[in-house]
Amino acid sequence: MARLLEKPELLAPAGDEESLRAAVAAGADAVYFGLRGGFNARARADNFAAADLPKLFDFLHSKGVQGFVTFNTLVFDRELGVAEAALADIARAGADAIIVQDLGAARLARAVCPELPLHASTQMTVSSAEAAAIAASLGVTRVVLPRELSISEITEFAKGTDLELECFVHGALCVSWSGQCLTSEALQHRSANRGQCAQSCRLPYDLIVDGRRRETDQVKYLLSPKDLAAYDLLPELLAAGVSCFKIEGRMKGPEYVANVVDKYRRALDGAVLSKRDEEELRYSFSRSFSHGFLKGSDHQELVHGLYPGHRGVLVGRVEEVHARARHVIVRAEKDAPELKAGDRMLFDQGKPEDDEPRGGLHACDVVGAGLLKLVFGGPDQSTLDLRLVRAGDVVWKAKDAEVTRKMKRIAAQERKVGVSLNVRGAAGVPLVVEAHDDLGQSARAESRMPLQAAQAHPLHEGLLREKLCAFGETSFELRRLTLDLEGALALPPSELKRLRRAITEGLSTNKPAQPERHVRTGRVGDMMQAAGRFVSPGRAVPEQKPLLIPLLRTLEQVDVALELGFDELQLDFMELVGLGVAVEKVRARGARVVVATPRVQKPGEEGYDKRFERLRPDGILARHLGAVEHFRRNPHTETVHGDFR
């Protein structure tokens, strides 16, 4: 079974230091972030400088929060030296883990610092327990699950691996399988697997059916999924074997991070989020919410096609526009949100690609049954030009001024470290205070004078909380107070305050021990040579005859290729229909036959590989890591080729 953490982990995104501090303040157990200068799948975020990492990890660890560095792009041979130096910096700085996509980067990280934990990025497409075995062989301890797996599939996955499982629970969804989207590179020469996703899925598209354009009215965003919101599925995911719950959003600001972390912290701690909580989540960012693929594939539920960006909460439709009077009349939906001054409104005209009318609300009045009068300020108070608004426009409340203020307050808070105090004593002996904090540190202090029998004002819990436990401006707060006092005892309040200062100083001095790290560099040349890529000077490269191998998808193509005299064919048959017949045809002509696996294997689909075994091909074209592992364990074919995926 998948390894479960002692306490479920809430993992938050951080695109800059302000967002990182907001995540810590709101209650995240861990944060993930990337470095400037490459190897980071969110290259357009502000990210962090390698030189700042030691200070950053000191801050996180002082709050009991872990920090994971995203090293999750594909790495080219020419970049290995730079990658090695970056990995060494990350390891020395005290990172709690790195998140990797590239198999070679995982090997390199292991060589640079064997003690640095490795997490397999969702970009690695570890979509089955067999694939997880490959990741484990590289030293990976945790798999970030593809977002396309359902809870039932995650349950099956967890039964076949002993790695930790991490699952996305909130934020943007990709329309493609994690790590397998090539549209940005194909259309705009910006590879998502190199940190340059161009968000091609968020563009408007025409629908062509049998060569004819089909009218779709305002449904233009055919590949743009809704956002994931799975706060109500956390118990099911826990039962399935998930230990870490991940929030997407390294391109978002601190108010978004504070809002989402605050809600999921409460949900993970057992609270049932209210309708108002969900409404507040929508104000931070929402393309409309769904469960993604966690409850199975439902494409009509996943993609509405109406808009690709933030909307918020639906208010209603415009009935009248009074541009000179600076107001509009809106027919409100039955469950429309409350509107107040400072809220930001958006007028949806069915053309999200245009500059849509939007602006700050000055006032809202009820003027009839289901009718609202939305008043906007003068030109100096609002960027909204009401002459651009039309009757029939859909009205959204995009931002809530009160929620924005609340999230700024949460983001600005200092996260305190919880302390449990045990206080014991008896007449004639000193008062003893033992402290244990949430970081695992402890401190002990004794009063300088023995306790006396109380004549008038004995020590009691209220007095001790006021004088001994008031940590004030320090980085600590009381978690629990346990008293073990024999009889009515007295001690001057000044001595209680001194004990508090001694405990605070003791806990502050005893910082958590940093994990031991052995960092080694200069490993790239050895690894390249071991991989067979290194050619020493003067050594001749053996000549190889170029091969032309067709990849075929129908029986008709196979017949033509055999007539042309090819001596090796690769078969990539959709749904495997006719595959057995094709294999026999190729074998009968004396040619080699290689069978291509599906591009992705989900839990429960291992039967495909067993079916390929029964065909006894000369080779397998492995397109997913599970196939590599399966045919490594079950060598029924002469060769296994790795596809570019």
Side-chain angles (χ1 to χ4, degrees):
M1 286 293 296
R3 178 176 176 269
L4 295 175
L5 297 176
E6 188 174 325
K7 176 192 172 190
E9 185 175 274
L10 181 60
L11 177 58
D16 56 28
E17 186 167 352
E18 199 176 357
S19 295
L20 181 141
R21 290 182 176 272
V24 171
D29 298 303
V31 294
Y32 65 103
F33 52 87
L35 295 183
R36 296 173 192 149
F39 313 116
N40 166 23
R42 289 293 181 271
R44 289 184 292 126
D46 284 348
N47 298 308
F48 296 83
D52 295 333
L53 290 182
K55 180 180 70 174
L56 201 63
F57 285 115
D58 281 346
F59 165 72
L60 291 173
H61 295 160
S62 73
K63 303 298 183 183
V65 177
Q66 291 189 303
F68 306 149
V69 178
T70 57
F71 205 86
N72 57 343
T73 60
L74 299 178
V75 181
F76 296 153
D77 284 348
R78 65 177 181 269
E79 298 170 329
L80 287 173
V82 178
E84 182 184 54
L87 288 166
D89 287 339
I90 293 167
R92 291 191 186 103
D96 295 287
I98 59 167
I99 304 171
V100 292
Q101 171 185 188
D102 191 296
L103 306 183
R107 285 189 190 279
L108 182 59
R110 197 77 170 155
V112 168
C113 182
E115 299 89 1
L116 178 61
L118 305 181
H119 295 175
S121 168
T122 189
Q123 299 289 105
M124 197 184 280
T125 322
V126 178
S127 56
S128 68
E130 282 187 324
I134 291 279
S137 73
L138 299 171
V140 167
T141 59
R142 177 185 294 185
V143 169
V144 185
L145 294 164
R147 280 168 270 203
E148 297 73 28
L149 295 184
S150 67
I151 293 177
S152 61
E153 288 163 344
I154 293 170
T155 303
E156 287 302 309
F157 190 132
K159 292 176 182 177
T161 183
D162 59 359
L163 300 182
E164 297 169 6
L165 299 183
E166 177 178 309
C167 180
F168 280 95
V169 291
H170 195 90
L173 288 169
C174 299
V175 73
S176 173
W177 267 81
S178 300
Q180 302 294 318
C181 184
L182 307 177
T183 54
S184 290
E185 171 64 28
L187 298 178
Q188 293 165 286
H189 308 294
R190 290 170 50 182
S191 174
N193 291 301
R194 295 278 293 168
Q196 297 288 344
C197 176
Q199 294 198 308
S200 305
C201 57
R202 306 300 181 189
L203 300 175
Y205 289 91
D206 290 332
L207 180 63
I208 309 298
V209 181
D210 296 331
R212 293 186 178 182
R213 183 176 180 277
R214 178 171 291 183
E215 183 55 51
T216 58
D217 196 23
Q218 293 183 4
V219 181
K220 298 289 187 184
Y221 296 87
L222 306 177
L223 301 179
S224 181
K226 299 178 184 178
D227 290 340
L228 173 64
Y231 53 84
D232 55 334
L233 300 181
L234 301 188
E236 292 182 55
L237 288 165
L238 275 168
V242 174
S243 281
C244 178
F245 300 89
K246 187 171 192 173
I247 297 165
E248 184 276 338
R250 282 194 284 147
M251 298 295 293
K252 304 293 196 304
E255 286 84 15
Y256 169 91
V257 173
N259 191 1
V260 181
V261 171
D262 173 68
K263 302 298 187 293
Y264 279 81
R265 176 75 277 159
R266 292 195 285 114
L268 196 54
D269 290 344
V272 177
L273 297 192
S274 65
K275 181 181 177 182
R276 173 60 182 175
D277 288 324
E278 190 205 14
E279 185 180 319
E280 290 189 3
L281 283 173
R282 291 179 183 271
Y283 293 132
S284 280
F285 194 90
S286 170
R287 299 178 178 93
S288 188
F289 286 152
S290 81
H291 284 149
F293 295 92
L294 290 172
K295 285 295 187 178
S297 296
D298 184 343
H299 297 156
Q300 301 307 311
E301 170 62 23
L302 182 70
V303 177
H304 51 59
L306 294 171
Y307 47 82
H310 174 62
R311 279 296 181 265
V313 179
L314 180 63
V315 175
R317 282 187 179 271
V318 175
E319 290 210 344
E320 301 173 20
V321 180
H322 302 273
R324 288 191 175 184
R326 303 294 300 167
H327 73 264
V328 297
I329 304 298
V330 173
R331 174 71 62 182
E333 295 288 316
K334 190 170 84 170
D335 55 352
E338 178 188 359
L339 302 180
K340 52 196 174 303
D343 292 344
R344 190 159 181 81
M345 313 304 296
L346 182 149
F347 294 88
D348 183 346
Q349 301 176 330
K351 297 180 179 179
E353 62 273 17
D354 293 345
D355 189 13
E356 299 171 306
R358 65 188 74 201
L361 187 64
H362 181 69
C364 175
D365 299 315
V366 178
V367 293
L371 290 177
L372 301 176
K373 177 183 176 182
L374 306 189
V375 182
F376 295 88
D380 58 331
Q381 295 178 281
S382 172
T383 58
L384 175 61
D385 185 350
L386 283 180
R387 292 172 299 178
L388 302 176
V389 177
R390 301 284 181 267
D393 288 357
V394 177
V395 184
W396 298 85
K397 178 179 172 180
K399 295 287 182 183
D400 184 295
E402 181 183 321
V403 171
T404 300
R405 288 192 294 270
K406 182 168 75 171
M407 293 312 145
K408 285 182 176 179
R409 288 196 299 271
I410 290 176
Q413 291 173 355
E414 182 191 359
R415 177 158 162 178
K416 303 282 190 175
V417 176
V419 178
S420 297
L421 294 183
N422 179 267
V423 181
R424 67 178 189 273
V429 299
L431 184 72
V432 176
V433 181
E434 292 180 338
H436 301 275
D437 68 21
D438 291 346
L439 306 182
Q441 307 306 304
S442 60
R444 186 179 186 278
E446 292 185 5
S447 61
R448 290 172 175 169
M449 59 193 73
L451 289 158
Q452 304 293 322
Q455 301 300 317
H457 301 290
L459 295 177
H460 57 84
E461 183 174 341
L463 178 63
L464 289 169
R465 285 182 177 273
E466 179 186 350
K467 304 299 182 184
L468 180 65
C469 306
F471 290 105
E473 297 300 315
T474 72
S475 59
F476 301 102
E477 65 181 3
L478 182 67
R479 182 80 69 218
R480 184 169 58 252
L481 174 63
T482 305
L483 301 182
D484 184 13
L485 301 176
E486 299 179 11
L489 304 169
L491 194 71
S494 60
E495 186 63 7
L496 292 176
K497 292 179 181 179
R498 188 194 68 78
L499 288 171
R500 183 188 68 217
R501 291 192 295 270
I503 287 294
T504 302
E505 184 177 336
L507 291 175
S508 300
T509 303
N510 300 328
K511 292 185 177 180
Q514 293 295 328
E516 188 175 8
R517 296 281 167 82
H518 299 91
V519 177
R520 299 169 292 181
T521 55
R523 311 281 296 174
V524 172
D526 293 340
M527 293 184 69
M528 293 284 279
Q529 188 169 11
R533 294 295 307 277
F534 184 82
V535 180
S536 58
R539 176 181 164 195
V541 179
E543 290 188 10
Q544 293 182 339
K545 181 182 178 182
L547 296 177
L548 181 63
I549 304 174
L551 182 73
L552 310 169
R553 295 191 170 92
T554 68
L555 286 171
E556 292 77 13
Q557 290 178 349
V558 170
D559 289 336
V560 172
L562 290 173
E563 289 301 319
L564 290 171
F566 285 101
D567 54 11
E568 181 172 332
L569 282 69
Q570 293 181 352
L571 304 182
D572 178 25
F573 276 45
M574 186 70 74
E575 306 297 337
L576 311 185
V577 176
L579 180 59
V581 174
V583 169
E584 291 305 319
K585 278 191 172 188
V586 178
R587 186 174 285 126
R589 295 289 287 268
R592 281 174 49 82
V593 58
V594 176
V595 172
T597 73
R599 289 159 178 79
V600 175
Q601 175 181 278
K602 299 172 77 173
E605 295 180 345
E606 294 80 7
Y608 284 118
D609 290 335
K610 294 177 181 177
R611 181 172 175 180
F612 299 148
E613 284 178 28
R614 293 194 293 270
L615 295 174
R616 300 284 178 175
D618 299 293
I620 289 289
L621 180 63
R623 285 175 158 163
H624 57 83
L625 287 177
V628 176
E629 174 65 12
H630 180 89
F631 289 102
R632 186 169 68 166
R633 289 198 315 236
N634 305 281
H636 294 287
T637 61
E638 182 182 324
T639 55
V640 178
H641 298 161
D643 194 24
F644 71 93
R645 296 174 181 275

mmCIF file of all heavy atoms in Angstrom, residues 161-180:
data_model
loop_
_atom_site.group_PDB
_atom_site.id
_atom_site.type_symbol
_atom_site.label_atom_id
_atom_site.label_comp_id
_atom_site.label_asym_id
_atom_site.label_seq_id
_atom_site.Cartn_x
_atom_site.Cartn_y
_atom_site.Cartn_z
ATOM 1 N N THR A 161 1.817 0.199 -4.725
ATOM 2 C CA THR A 161 3.073 0.931 -4.510
ATOM 3 C C THR A 161 3.236 1.239 -3.040
ATOM 4 O O THR A 161 2.250 1.303 -2.292
ATOM 5 C CB THR A 161 3.095 2.249 -5.316
ATOM 6 O OG1 THR A 161 4.349 2.896 -5.140
ATOM 7 C CG2 THR A 161 1.993 3.194 -4.857
ATOM 8 N N ASP A 162 4.493 1.419 -2.607
ATOM 9 C CA ASP A 162 4.739 1.842 -1.230
ATOM 10 C C ASP A 162 5.273 3.268 -1.179
ATOM 11 O O ASP A 162 5.821 3.709 -0.170
ATOM 12 C CB ASP A 162 5.698 0.887 -0.524
ATOM 13 C CG ASP A 162 7.048 0.772 -1.230
ATOM 14 O OD1 ASP A 162 7.234 1.430 -2.277
ATOM 15 O OD2 ASP A 162 7.900 0.014 -0.745
ATOM 16 N N LEU A 163 5.123 4.014 -2.285
ATOM 17 C CA LEU A 163 5.520 5.422 -2.301
ATOM 18 C C LEU A 163 4.404 6.293 -1.737
ATOM 19 O O LEU A 163 3.238 5.892 -1.688
ATOM 20 C CB LEU A 163 5.841 5.865 -3.733
ATOM 21 C CG LEU A 163 6.969 5.125 -4.450
ATOM 22 C CD1 LEU A 163 7.186 5.723 -5.832
ATOM 23 C CD2 LEU A 163 8.260 5.167 -3.650
ATOM 24 N N GLU A 164 4.753 7.509 -1.311
ATOM 25 C CA GLU A 164 3.743 8.483 -0.915
ATOM 26 C C GLU A 164 3.023 8.993 -2.162
ATOM 27 O O GLU A 164 3.623 9.106 -3.234
ATOM 28 C CB GLU A 164 4.396 9.667 -0.192
ATOM 29 C CG GLU A 164 5.094 9.307 1.101
ATOM 30 C CD GLU A 164 5.946 10.461 1.625
ATOM 31 O OE1 GLU A 164 5.892 11.563 1.031
ATOM 32 O OE2 GLU A 164 6.676 10.249 2.602
ATOM 33 N N LEU A 165 1.755 9.341 -2.016
ATOM 34 C CA LEU A 165 0.971 9.870 -3.135
ATOM 35 C C LEU A 165 0.510 11.292 -2.822
ATOM 36 O O LEU A 165 0.008 11.574 -1.733
ATOM 37 C CB LEU A 165 -0.245 8.979 -3.411
ATOM 38 C CG LEU A 165 0.044 7.526 -3.798
ATOM 39 C CD1 LEU A 165 -1.257 6.795 -4.100
ATOM 40 C CD2 LEU A 165 1.004 7.441 -4.974
ATOM 41 N N GLU A 166 0.699 12.168 -3.806
ATOM 42 C CA GLU A 166 0.302 13.576 -3.703
ATOM 43 C C GLU A 166 -0.708 13.853 -4.808
ATOM 44 O O GLU A 166 -0.533 13.404 -5.945
ATOM 45 C CB GLU A 166 1.539 14.454 -3.868
ATOM 46 C CG GLU A 166 1.301 15.949 -3.857
ATOM 47 C CD GLU A 166 2.635 16.698 -3.970
ATOM 48 O OE1 GLU A 166 3.557 16.394 -3.187
ATOM 49 O OE2 GLU A 166 2.761 17.555 -4.868
ATOM 50 N N CYS A 167 -1.763 14.607 -4.484
ATOM 51 C CA CYS A 167 -2.855 14.820 -5.444
ATOM 52 C C CYS A 167 -3.237 16.292 -5.501
ATOM 53 O O CYS A 167 -3.386 16.945 -4.464
ATOM 54 C CB CYS A 167 -4.064 13.980 -5.009
ATOM 55 S SG CYS A 167 -5.505 14.118 -6.082
ATOM 56 N N PHE A 168 -3.398 16.823 -6.710
ATOM 57 C CA PHE A 168 -3.935 18.181 -6.871
ATOM 58 C C PHE A 168 -5.396 18.200 -6.432
ATOM 59 O O PHE A 168 -6.181 17.319 -6.802
ATOM 60 C CB PHE A 168 -3.851 18.626 -8.330
ATOM 61 C CG PHE A 168 -2.489 19.108 -8.743
ATOM 62 C CD1 PHE A 168 -1.597 18.247 -9.359
ATOM 63 C CD2 PHE A 168 -2.106 20.418 -8.527
ATOM 64 C CE1 PHE A 168 -0.340 18.682 -9.755
ATOM 65 C CE2 PHE A 168 -0.851 20.869 -8.915
ATOM 66 C CZ PHE A 168 0.032 20.001 -9.534
ATOM 67 N N VAL A 169 -5.770 19.226 -5.661
ATOM 68 C CA VAL A 169 -7.156 19.338 -5.197
ATOM 69 C C VAL A 169 -7.787 20.682 -5.551
ATOM 70 O O VAL A 169 -8.998 20.847 -5.388
ATOM 71 C CB VAL A 169 -7.259 19.108 -3.676
ATOM 72 C CG1 VAL A 169 -6.972 17.654 -3.334
ATOM 73 C CG2 VAL A 169 -6.351 20.050 -2.892
ATOM 74 N N HIS A 170 -6.986 21.647 -6.032
ATOM 75 C CA HIS A 170 -7.576 22.944 -6.369
ATOM 76 C C HIS A 170 -6.717 23.661 -7.399
ATOM 77 O O HIS A 170 -5.483 23.603 -7.345
ATOM 78 C CB HIS A 170 -7.690 23.837 -5.130
ATOM 79 C CG HIS A 170 -8.592 25.023 -5.327
ATOM 80 N ND1 HIS A 170 -9.944 24.986 -5.057
ATOM 81 C CD2 HIS A 170 -8.343 26.270 -5.792
ATOM 82 C CE1 HIS A 170 -10.476 26.158 -5.339
ATOM 83 N NE2 HIS A 170 -9.524 26.962 -5.797
ATOM 84 N N GLY A 171 -7.401 24.331 -8.343
ATOM 85 C CA GLY A 171 -6.695 25.171 -9.305
ATOM 86 C C GLY A 171 -6.943 24.760 -10.741
ATOM 87 O O GLY A 171 -7.837 23.961 -11.048
ATOM 88 N N ALA A 172 -6.133 25.301 -11.621
ATOM 89 C CA ALA A 172 -6.299 25.097 -13.057
ATOM 90 C C ALA A 172 -6.067 23.639 -13.436
ATOM 91 O O ALA A 172 -5.248 22.936 -12.835
ATOM 92 C CB ALA A 172 -5.337 25.997 -13.828
ATOM 93 N N LEU A 173 -6.793 23.188 -14.454
ATOM 94 C CA LEU A 173 -6.633 21.848 -15.008
ATOM 95 C C LEU A 173 -6.099 21.946 -16.429
ATOM 96 O O LEU A 173 -6.454 22.859 -17.184
ATOM 97 C CB LEU A 173 -7.977 21.111 -15.032
ATOM 98 C CG LEU A 173 -8.526 20.654 -13.686
ATOM 99 C CD1 LEU A 173 -9.965 20.192 -13.856
ATOM 100 C CD2 LEU A 173 -7.677 19.529 -13.106
ATOM 101 N N CYS A 174 -5.250 20.987 -16.802
ATOM 102 C CA CYS A 174 -4.795 20.873 -18.183
ATOM 103 C C CYS A 174 -5.815 20.068 -18.972
ATOM 104 O O CYS A 174 -6.442 19.146 -18.447
ATOM 105 C CB CYS A 174 -3.437 20.169 -18.255
ATOM 106 S SG CYS A 174 -2.118 21.026 -17.378
ATOM 107 N N VAL A 175 -5.964 20.370 -20.248
ATOM 108 C CA VAL A 175 -6.873 19.594 -21.082
ATOM 109 C C VAL A 175 -6.211 18.304 -21.530
ATOM 110 O O VAL A 175 -6.862 17.341 -21.901
ATOM 111 C CB VAL A 175 -7.344 20.419 -22.300
ATOM 112 C CG1 VAL A 175 -6.228 20.568 -23.328
ATOM 113 C CG2 VAL A 175 -8.590 19.798 -22.942
ATOM 114 N N SER A 176 -4.883 18.270 -21.473
ATOM 115 C CA SER A 176 -4.126 17.086 -21.876
ATOM 116 C C SER A 176 -3.658 16.335 -20.645
ATOM 117 O O SER A 176 -3.665 16.860 -19.536
ATOM 118 C CB SER A 176 -2.918 17.501 -22.713
ATOM 119 O OG SER A 176 -2.088 16.410 -22.994
ATOM 120 N N TRP A 177 -3.227 15.092 -20.855
ATOM 121 C CA TRP A 177 -2.608 14.355 -19.765
ATOM 122 C C TRP A 177 -1.371 15.100 -19.273
ATOM 123 O O TRP A 177 -0.582 15.617 -20.069
ATOM 124 C CB TRP A 177 -2.208 12.948 -20.226
ATOM 125 C CG TRP A 177 -3.270 11.957 -19.944
ATOM 126 C CD1 TRP A 177 -4.397 11.716 -20.672
ATOM 127 C CD2 TRP A 177 -3.338 11.089 -18.810
ATOM 128 N NE1 TRP A 177 -5.163 10.763 -20.073
ATOM 129 C CE2 TRP A 177 -4.532 10.349 -18.931
ATOM 130 C CE3 TRP A 177 -2.508 10.856 -17.716
ATOM 131 C CZ2 TRP A 177 -4.910 9.391 -17.989
ATOM 132 C CZ3 TRP A 177 -2.892 9.903 -16.789
ATOM 133 C CH2 TRP A 177 -4.084 9.194 -16.927
ATOM 134 N N SER A 178 -1.205 15.114 -17.965
ATOM 135 C CA SER A 178 -0.071 15.811 -17.364
ATOM 136 C C SER A 178 1.236 15.366 -18.004
ATOM 137 O O SER A 178 1.546 14.187 -18.051
ATOM 138 C CB SER A 178 -0.030 15.531 -15.861
ATOM 139 O OG SER A 178 -1.214 15.964 -15.236
ATOM 140 N N GLY A 179 2.011 16.342 -18.490
ATOM 141 C CA GLY A 179 3.305 16.050 -19.092
ATOM 142 C C GLY A 179 3.244 15.636 -20.548
ATOM 143 O O GLY A 179 4.282 15.488 -21.193
ATOM 144 N N GLN A 180 2.038 15.473 -21.097
ATOM 145 C CA GLN A 180 1.917 14.974 -22.469
ATOM 146 C C GLN A 180 1.382 16.027 -23.440
ATOM 147 O O GLN A 180 1.107 15.720 -24.599
ATOM 148 C CB GLN A 180 0.980 13.754 -22.495
ATOM 149 C CG GLN A 180 1.433 12.611 -21.604
ATOM 150 C CD GLN A 180 2.730 11.981 -22.075
ATOM 151 O OE1 GLN A 180 2.935 11.765 -23.249
ATOM 152 N NE2 GLN A 180 3.621 11.707 -21.136
#
